[in-house]
Amino acid sequence: MPGAADAIDTRALKATTARCLELAMDSAVPAEAQAQLMSAGRRLRELLLEVVSRRFNARTPEVSAANLAITAANAALAADLSRVKATAGAIKKLATLVSTLESALEAAAKGV
Amino acid sequence: MNLLPSRGLHRAALVALAACALPGCVTVSPSRPAADFGAAVSDASAAVGDYLRGLDDFERRVYLDSRLYDPRQPLAAFDAGRPTPLVARRFGPESIRARLDALSLLAVYAQRLTELSTTDAPAQATDAAAALGAELGTLGQRVQKLFDDKTAADYAGPVSLLVAAVGDLYVEEQKERALRKGIATAAPQVRKIIDLLEIDLVEAVRPLRETGELERLAERVRWYNDRRAELAKDLDARRALLDDLDETVRRYHAIIEFDPTRVTRALRGANASLLELAQSSRKPKDVEAFAAAMQVWGSRIAGAAQAARKLGDQKKE
């Protein structure tokens, strides 16, 4: 029953599971009771696993949506980096162009 | 035809350059702290990723331990049609993939910030612009010879300086604007991913690891006590069992002591500090405060990541 599982307090379930397992190792507890507590602890932990794994999987769409958003943000950052580098590159090209023009003018001056 | 700027324009350019150099006009780059944030996030993401990847493996280990120490328990791949922890993938592959993707994307975000923060494009622009300025000066002299304009040589030097400064400032401003925009846009998404990861670690991973190690411990203790009589004459067997028990206790203590929120709190704090800096006027005091905060957050992230990594190694026991 999915509804019932959603209502389970996993903190309380975890605490009860741990308490059963601790008592299963307690020398003050009679042997037969230790065995029963060990069985109960195992069973409660199986329930804990079932509930938390179900909720873990249920949160996945939310994680995926956040992933899409940050993917877009990362793409924008990459584009910005390209623009910054392109500007530096453009200045370099401009310097080369001016150098070429200067050589052409020098040649022109000799020819005058 | 006069291709050369007038002396008036020359003086105006020098005044503008001097104004830009005044301390009141200077903002400080957050490049270095952003790079530090990038390195810390990448490290933490790798450690938490290992932790998440091992969830089903750990459950199989707990299941097999109970069969090892209590042979009365049947070994089965399925129970009434449902897969047992022997073969089950309780934490669906798509779910794990989404979390690993989230961690990778956090690391990519940090890497992009680092690349943008540390690009040497402004420095390249400075060199290129200086060369451009020198070329323009020389060009001016050529033109002077062609057109017999005697003012060209006067502005060659200042033009070189001005072009270099403007080129550098423009590219640096481009970079800073991109950094601020990128941080402001991504920060809410980064917060969301950190929040979701924290829920996973606190509500799923830690309770299962803690009770799982406790169950493994209880199996060993009960098995030893049930066979004390037959183990009484075999010191080596008892030593081996108790050494294994000791290692199990160490694992249990490690998970008890590990606080998964250390990583997420530190990531959250670092992200908030970065956002605060990006939205500030970024005067030296703002950057100093951020750098100090990053030192604290960075060392906390590194420490928490190291602890998570140790737990990831222990799961192989």
Side-chain angles (χ1 to χ4, degrees), chain A residues 38-53:
Chain A
M38 189 71 208
S39 291
R42 286 184 191 131
R43 182 64 192 133
L44 286 171
R45 194 175 178 280
E46 284 172 12
L47 287 172
L48 181 67
L49 174 61
E50 179 68 29
V51 173
V52 300
S53 62

Side-chain angles (χ1 to χ4, degrees), chain B residues 31 34-39 42 107-119 179:
Chain B
S31 297
D36 290 342
F37 173 66
S42 294
V108 169
Y109 163 70
Q111 188 189 353
R112 292 271 181 271
L113 268 190
T114 303
E115 285 170 356
L116 192 52
S117 303
T118 57
T119 177
L179 260 179

Side-chain angles (χ1 to χ4, degrees), chain A residues 74-110:
Chain A
N74 286 344
L77 278 170
D80 286 334
L81 179 62
S82 296
R83 264 194 294 278
V84 167
K85 286 183 174 176
T87 302
I91 294 176
K92 267 183 170 174
K93 284 182 184 171
L94 196 54
T96 306
L97 175 64
V98 170
S99 176
T100 305
L101 183 58
E102 196 263 348
S103 300
L105 283 171
E106 183 179 355
K110 284 178 182 169

Side-chain angles (χ1 to χ4, degrees), chain B residues 266-287:
Chain B
L267 285 173
R268 197 179 282 118
N271 187 46
S273 296
L274 192 61
L275 182 62
E276 202 176 301
L277 178 71
Q279 292 170 338
S280 73
S281 56
R282 289 189 293 118
K283 293 294 185 286
K285 64 175 175 60
D286 299 316
V287 179

